[in-house]
């Protein structure tokens, strides 16, 4: 029986790249996202069995209904990739948009918690499974304007560490990936569709790609069962930290 990976936020960026990488690796995929059209488009491009679930991880009840709708033959999930996440705004904390704060906290923290709560009990009961959380180098330290986003990714690190302790009695593994500068639609979302401003983020440096992060996720999932890749920091070559980048 092929292994099954459930990937949240699968319709773009790192999530889409993970879908393609794990499909290439022979996984069956459960892909979630907020847009049915993008889920269907991705499904049609993959050479594996795919189940799509359209919901927003911020909606706990919709998340529960979606997971409960998974057919019996898809329920033994081997890998959960908590990828859904975003940044909104780059204002000083004292000038921040409270709606941006809510969206980041509800997606990056509460959405991750919801999916963990729904999926991991089954892994523990089967004594098998792997949770891969997509955190960020931003979780290691704040950068200018990053305040709330950095706090949410620090929470991802702490929640990953806490879950790893909670499941240590079982064979369930927990990995926290901490990407640096990755060129996806991340900055476009952060700047509310201001493409010119988003493009400036990547000028003068060759950033990481979603595929680079997917490769690391797949490596962690492919390690022998007794090996737990607990945390991986992935930076572009000319990025020294979350806030230090050497540009041409």
């Amino acid at each position: 029986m092929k292994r099954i990976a459930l990937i949240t936020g699968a319709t773009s960026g790192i999530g889409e790249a993970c879908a393609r990488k794990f499909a290439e690796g022979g996984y069956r995929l459960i892909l979630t996202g907020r847009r049915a059209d993008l889920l269907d488009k991705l499904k049609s491009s993959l050479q594996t069995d795919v189940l799509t679930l359209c919901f927003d991880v911020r909606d706990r009840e919709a998340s529960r209904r979606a997971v409960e709708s998974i057919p019996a033959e898809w329920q033994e999930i081997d890998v959960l990739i908590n990828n859904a996440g975003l940044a909104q705004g780059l204002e000083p904390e004292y000038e921040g948009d409270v709606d941006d704060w809510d969206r980041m906290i509800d997606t990056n923290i509460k959405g991750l918690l919801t999916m963990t709560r729904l999926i991991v009990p089954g892994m523990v009961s089967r004594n098998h499974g792997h949770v891969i959380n997509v955190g960020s180098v931003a979780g290691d330290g704040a950068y200018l304007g990053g305040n709330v986003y950095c706090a949410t990714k620090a929470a991802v690190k702490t929640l990953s560490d806490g879950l790893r302790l909670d499941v240590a009695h079982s064979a369930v593994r927990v990995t926290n990936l901490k990407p640096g500068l990755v060129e996806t639609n991340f900055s476009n979302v952060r700047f509310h569709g201001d493409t010119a401003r988003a493009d400036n983020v990547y000028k003068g440096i060759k950033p990481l790609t979603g595929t680079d992060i997917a490769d690391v996720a797949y490596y962690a999932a492919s390690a022998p069962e007794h090996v737990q890749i607990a945390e991986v920091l992935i930076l572009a070559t000319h990025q020294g930290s979350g806030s230090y980048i050497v540009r041409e």
Side-chain angles (χ1 to χ4, degrees):
M1 181 68 73
K2 288 185 177 180
R3 291 173 292 179
I4 298 172
L6 189 157
I7 304 169
T8 67
T11 55
S12 66
I14 293 172
E16 179 183 352
C18 284
R20 297 190 184 283
K21 182 67 178 183
F22 279 74
E24 290 171 3
Y27 278 76
R28 293 192 292 158
L29 300 176
I30 303 173
L31 304 179
T32 87
R34 295 179 293 113
R35 291 184 53 183
D37 58 332
L38 294 180
L39 285 170
D40 291 341
K41 182 179 179 181
L42 178 58
K43 177 180 179 178
S44 67
S45 71
L46 298 174
Q47 301 299 310
T48 191
D49 294 329
V50 178
L51 174 68
T52 61
L53 300 174
C54 186
F55 66 95
D56 189 331
V57 295
R58 292 181 295 170
D59 187 332
R60 186 174 294 127
E61 184 59 24
S63 301
R64 183 191 63 78
R65 289 196 302 268
V67 170
E68 289 181 352
S69 76
I70 296 174
E73 63 270 23
W74 286 86
Q75 289 179 3
E76 294 192 1
I77 294 164
D78 299 277
V79 179
L80 167 64
I81 302 180
N82 276 317
N83 166 73
L86 77 163
Q88 293 264 259
L90 202 62
E91 297 80 19
E93 189 172 320
Y94 60 88
E95 295 178 351
D97 185 318
V98 295
D99 291 333
D100 285 350
W101 295 351
D102 285 344
R103 191 175 180 198
M104 286 186 282
I105 292 168
D106 290 348
T107 304
N108 301 357
I109 301 177
K110 294 164 79 173
L112 179 147
L113 279 170
T114 294
M115 294 306 297
T116 299
R117 182 65 181 85
L118 291 169
I119 302 300
V120 174
M123 292 180 171
V124 173
S125 67
R126 293 188 299 274
N127 198 37
H128 170 78
H130 194 164
V131 179
I132 299 176
N133 291 331
V134 179
S136 173
V137 62
D140 287 345
Y143 56 76
L144 186 64
N147 43 77
V148 175
Y149 173 71
C150 295
T152 66
K153 290 304 184 177
V156 171
K157 172 179 169 50
T158 303
L159 292 171
S160 300
D161 291 345
L163 180 62
R164 196 176 302 110
L165 295 170
D166 291 336
V167 300
H169 66 285
S170 73
V172 177
R173 300 182 291 181
V174 181
T175 299
N176 180 30
L177 301 183
K178 302 191 299 184
L181 194 64
V182 184
E183 188 169 12
T184 63
N185 67 341
F186 175 89
S187 291
N188 196 275
V189 171
R190 160 167 265 169
F191 298 129
H192 301 281
D194 186 339
T195 302
R197 190 178 180 193
D199 288 345
N200 281 331
V201 173
Y202 309 107
K203 284 186 176 179
I205 186 173
K206 184 174 182 179
L208 302 167
T209 67
T211 300
D212 295 326
I213 309 308
D215 287 345
V216 178
Y218 189 80
Y219 172 81
S222 303
E225 291 289 330
H226 71 286
V227 177
Q228 180 170 216
I229 310 296
E231 187 171 278
V232 186
L233 175 65
I234 314 110
L235 300 176
T237 299
H238 296 292
Q239 180 175 18
S241 70
S243 59
Y244 184 73
I245 297 170
V246 178
R247 302 179 189 269
E248 294 180 353

